[in-house]
Amino acid sequence: MTTDNIQKPAGSSLHMTTDNIQKPAGSNLHLTMDSGQKPVRSRIFNNSKPTNQIIAIDLGTRSTKAVCMEEQGDALRLVSYTAQDRPDCGKVLSREALARHLLAVTESLNARTKKVILIVGATDSLICHAELPVIETSEMRKMVKLNPKFYFQEDLPNHSFDCFVLHQGTDVKAGSKQSRKAKTLIVAVKNQVLNDLQEAAGTAGLDIQQVTASQTGAANCFLMSPEIWHNKVIALVDIGFGHSTISLLVNGEITLTRVVNIGADKFTTGLAEGMNITYSVADGLKQIMPEKVRAHLIPLVSPLSHELINSIHFFEQKEDKKVSEVFVSGGSARSKFIVETLQTELNLPCKSWNPAASLKSNFTSAQTIVLQEESPQLTVAIGAALTFFKTALAAIDLLAEQKEAAERRSRDPMKRGYVVAGILVLAMLGWYLLTLFFNKQVSVGVKGLTSDLASLQPGFIQTELNIKKADSIRATLHELNQLSQTRFLWASALNALQETVVNNFEIVRLQINQDISQTTGTPAVKKLDKIIVPAQPPETIEHTVFTIQAKSSAKPSAAESFMNAIALSPWFKTALRSDEAIRLKESQPPQTDPSDLNKISILFTVECYAEQKFK
């Protein structure tokens, strides 16, 4: 029996980790389960000392994706990656909750650096393309900040901006004057968002290198991939949870970036409403059995196809160039059905791609296969990490304004005067304190000797108390050692349980509660130096309750067969208590099986009571 199909009940004390599972060489797979949450997926590979590491964290709406990368010579290596569910999906996290989440994400990566790049999504950032004069980037930011409505068609007070020059050209004006223009990518974010991220990262002990936008991640990652994009016009579609980013690349240059409010959440929500099923069941059907919901899923994907067609048509009309291929990334890119649906409606070659293909790793072949399956959802995080090492990529840093202000303050000539004055004040204060110290040294010494003399008596009493406590601790440790040597072995119980499985029967949930009690024992009774009643040593009694919830498709239910199988098991014969060892706690009426709508199953709960004594 494996733990794959065992679910943790609400309020259960069952906690399982893969620490005792045999792992592939060179890997350190970690899986934890928290009550009420999905498993946190985190894979850590290779614990070698890093040379130049960076952590990129993509703060998505539903889940947070993060990668740790390092530079080794001319190559880049993927050290580790993680994907964790975001607390309170869809809600704005407080700074304290965000700090705890960032700390959990970075700890799961097992990185040896605190340098991070934080990535904000389309909900918190705006992006546009514009032509700006060829000036310093800092001047471009000031120009945009003075008149953001000209570029974003709305006023953006209390926002920070950054610009990246994509391409420089020459516009010939009237007369002999020429004014050079630069095709520029402009990104805006609220100052409140930046402040929350900085405070949360500081609380988590992280060193923020950049805050960037997710809209450029897919394009940056694709330009470093082995896919052939030279002399081609490529369309990129990064399907997120709530939004999708469409990018058009001409010979490796980002020409158009557009965000649409269509994502995996609309696919799943529409499927759940159309089929009258729960959100989680719809999500599973969409990923595992898309052919069964084909008729419902195609109309949900069509709006994204139409937005992509409109974007490509607008680009082709404006640039007079034809798009040759479409590459899909994001979590939904793992669904071949969605990619094939886009290809059918676009009438263009569509395919998913591996954003980690350009990175080296020390993964085993099995780990590489897992990475290839999960890598589409890591596209934005990998793209942001690549900009840290590759300056030619579209690197957006929304902290650039703050960094420039800090640099200006550091160059302020008055700052040196403040430093000198501060040193002089500290020197005078130190001289004054030193004088007081020497004047009071004698009196302090006398008071110290008096205090030492008075402290001898309490110290002696405390020493006696410590000796008694040490003896009590030794006795407790001895009892704990005995208990650990003779304790109940979980492996034997689980092995015996797997041999009790009957036909048309499936364990859904297992809960094991254990309670340990101890008797005091009785001394020997003597009469005339002869022992009449021998001494009874204290006993440790271990009570174990197995609560097994299972389902059966048999008619009638397999509950009785399962209880008989437990009673006949050799291990349970010796471990179960003598009275009411096994009982049927609950049996529900037949109902449709959620995993197979054509199947009727019966849920029932069985409790087994085991008892062992140790002297």
Side-chain angles (χ1 to χ4, degrees):
M1 182 179 69
T2 65
T3 61
D4 295 336
N5 294 326
I6 299 178
Q7 301 178 4
K8 182 181 179 184
S12 170
S13 59
L14 179 61
H15 179 72
M16 293 182 293
T17 67
T18 59
D19 296 338
N20 297 324
I21 300 177
Q22 186 176 1
K23 300 180 279 287
S27 72
N28 188 10
L29 174 63
H30 180 63
L31 171 66
T32 62
M33 298 182 67
D34 297 323
S35 178
Q37 296 183 359
K38 294 183 179 179
V40 175
R41 305 180 302 280
S42 175
R43 289 174 176 79
I44 304 168
F45 307 110
N46 196 332
N47 295 324
S48 61
K49 185 177 180 181
T51 55
N52 187 10
Q53 283 192 353
I54 190 67
I55 297 173
I57 303 177
D58 178 14
L59 298 169
T61 304
R62 182 180 184 182
S63 64
T64 297
K65 286 77 66 178
V67 298
C68 178
M69 288 173 52
E70 70 178 16
E71 190 174 29
Q72 290 184 340
D74 295 333
L76 296 176
R77 187 171 74 89
L78 179 62
V79 179
S80 58
Y81 69 91
T82 184
Q84 299 188 11
D85 289 339
R86 179 187 174 103
D88 297 329
C89 176
K91 298 181 180 179
V92 178
L93 298 181
S94 65
R95 293 179 177 180
E96 295 76 13
L98 182 57
R100 291 193 297 269
H101 184 54
L102 291 176
L103 184 61
V105 170
T106 53
E107 286 180 347
S108 67
L109 290 171
N110 199 30
R112 293 185 177 89
T113 183
K114 295 297 183 180
K115 296 180 179 180
V116 298
I117 297 175
L118 299 182
I119 309 162
V120 295
T123 305
D124 298 318
S125 61
L126 298 173
I127 189 169
C128 72
H129 290 257
E131 289 191 351
L132 298 178
V134 181
I135 54 179
E136 293 292 332
T137 307
S138 59
E139 298 299 322
M140 289 184 177
R141 283 193 288 267
K142 293 178 182 178
M143 181 184 300
V144 175
K145 197 174 189 69
L146 288 173
N147 189 15
K149 190 173 184 178
F150 180 78
Y151 304 98
F152 292 94
Q153 283 71 54
E154 60 178 310
D155 290 324
L156 298 175
N158 301 319
H159 276 67
S160 293
F161 304 87
D162 193 27
C163 305
F164 183 83
V165 176
L166 299 171
H167 178 70
Q168 292 186 7
T170 303
D171 284 347
V172 181
K173 301 297 183 181
S176 59
K177 295 183 179 180
Q178 291 185 350
S179 174
R180 289 194 303 163
K181 296 284 187 177
K183 292 182 179 179
T184 307
L185 193 65
I186 308 174
V187 181
V189 68
K190 290 182 180 179
N191 291 333
Q192 183 64 41
V193 174
L194 290 181
N195 295 337
D196 291 344
L197 291 176
Q198 289 176 293
E199 183 170 332
T203 304
L206 303 178
D207 180 13
I208 298 183
Q209 299 297 302
Q210 295 176 11
V211 174
T212 187
S214 63
Q215 294 92 319
T216 61
N220 287 328
C221 188
F222 183 78
L223 293 178
M224 296 302 298
S225 71
E227 301 286 349
I228 300 176
W229 49 265
H230 298 281
N231 301 321
K232 285 187 176 184
V233 180
I234 301 294
L236 300 179
V237 185
D238 185 58
I239 306 175
F241 179 72
H243 302 80
S244 295
T245 302
I246 301 172
S247 303
L248 275 299
L249 277 63
V250 179
N251 195 24
E253 178 184 312
I254 304 175
T255 306
L256 175 67
T257 303
R258 183 167 175 246
V259 177
V260 295
N261 295 328
I262 301 173
D265 181 48
K266 286 198 174 181
F267 300 161
T268 308
T269 302
L271 192 60
E273 293 175 354
M275 299 185 66
N276 195 22
I277 55 179
T278 63
Y279 187 94
S280 58
V281 172
D283 190 44
L285 290 174
K286 181 186 69 176
Q287 294 291 339
I288 301 173
M289 296 180 291
E291 292 298 333
K292 289 193 175 183
V293 293
R294 178 185 182 89
H296 295 275
L297 194 55
I298 289 179
L300 299 174
V301 180
S302 293
L304 178 60
S305 303
H306 295 158
E307 293 290 346
L308 186 54
I309 290 172
N310 293 336
S311 300
I312 293 175
H313 180 71
F314 172 79
F315 166 80
E316 292 178 343
Q317 292 292 325
K318 181 181 178 182
E319 300 292 335
D320 194 22
K321 295 177 181 178
K322 292 292 184 181
V323 175
S324 59
E325 292 179 274
V326 178
F327 289 86
V328 186
S329 60
S332 296
R334 295 175 294 180
S335 172
K336 292 183 179 179
F337 177 81
I338 293 179
V339 176
E340 291 172 356
T341 301
L342 290 175
Q343 177 170 298
T344 301
E345 299 201 7
L346 294 173
N347 198 22
L348 282 173
C350 295
K351 63 179 180 179
S352 59
W353 55 286
N354 182 8
S358 63
L359 304 176
K360 289 189 175 181
S361 64
N362 295 337
F363 304 169
T364 64
S365 58
Q367 294 164 351
T368 302
I369 293 174
V370 174
L371 175 61
Q372 289 176 352
E373 294 176 354
E374 298 185 357
S375 61
Q377 62 179 333
L378 304 175
T379 303
V380 172
I382 294 176
L386 287 172
T387 60
F388 184 78
F389 301 105
K390 303 295 182 180
T391 56
L393 297 176
I396 295 293
D397 186 6
L398 296 169
L399 295 177
E401 292 184 20
Q402 296 184 20
K403 292 178 180 178
E404 285 181 0
E407 187 177 355
R408 285 194 299 270
R409 289 192 297 269
S410 67
R411 293 197 302 264
D412 188 353
M414 291 299 295
K415 185 176 181 180
R416 297 180 181 178
Y418 298 149
V419 172
V420 173
I423 293 174
L424 291 175
V425 171
L426 289 176
M428 292 296 294
L429 181 61
W431 174 79
Y432 174 72
L433 294 176
L434 188 62
T435 303
L436 290 178
F437 172 76
F438 284 122
N439 289 337
K440 295 183 179 180
Q441 188 175 17
V442 175
S443 59
V444 170
V446 173
K447 291 181 180 179
L449 293 174
T450 304
S451 177
D452 291 343
L453 182 63
S455 64
L456 290 177
Q457 185 64 25
F460 174 75
I461 296 174
Q462 185 63 39
T463 301
E464 288 187 333
L465 293 176
N466 291 340
I467 292 173
K468 292 180 180 179
K469 288 181 180 179
D471 292 336
S472 176
I473 291 173
R474 290 191 190 96
T476 302
L477 288 175
H478 177 70
E479 294 176 358
L480 290 175
N481 287 333
Q482 285 184 331
L483 180 61
S484 64
Q485 293 173 1
T486 60
R487 67 184 178 87
F488 179 83
L489 297 180
W490 294 96
S492 300
L494 294 177
N495 184 61
L497 186 60
Q498 76 172 348
E499 296 176 357
T500 62
V501 177
V502 297
N503 292 333
N504 300 318
F505 166 86
E506 180 183 353
I507 293 179
V508 176
R509 184 176 290 118
L510 169 62
Q511 178 179 348
I512 304 176
N513 294 325
Q514 190 178 81
D515 182 40
I516 297 175
S517 61
Q518 190 173 22
T519 61
T520 58
T522 57
V525 179
K526 294 183 180 180
K527 188 175 182 180
L528 299 177
D529 296 333
K530 291 185 179 181
I531 298 176
I532 300 176
V533 179
Q536 295 295 329
E539 288 184 334
T540 299
I541 304 175
E542 193 172 66
H543 304 275
T544 307
V545 180
F546 296 82
T547 303
I548 306 168
Q549 186 180 30
K551 66 180 179 179
S552 168
S553 59
K555 298 179 180 179
S557 170
E560 295 294 332
S561 301
F562 175 61
M563 294 171 63
N564 293 334
I566 291 179
L568 296 176
S569 171
W571 186 90
F572 280 98
K573 278 184 178 180
T574 59
L576 293 177
R577 69 186 187 187
S578 57
D579 57 327
E580 283 190 286
I582 307 172
R583 73 184 186 92
L584 181 62
K585 181 180 179 181
E586 180 186 8
S587 180
Q588 299 182 7
Q591 58 184 350
T592 303
D593 194 335
S595 62
D596 188 350
L597 301 180
N598 297 323
K599 185 189 235 181
I600 303 299
S601 61
I602 301 174
L603 282 173
F604 62 89
T605 303
V606 174
E607 285 189 347
C608 305
Y609 303 90
E611 185 178 277
Q612 287 192 346
K613 297 181 180 181
F614 307 97
K615 294 185 179 180

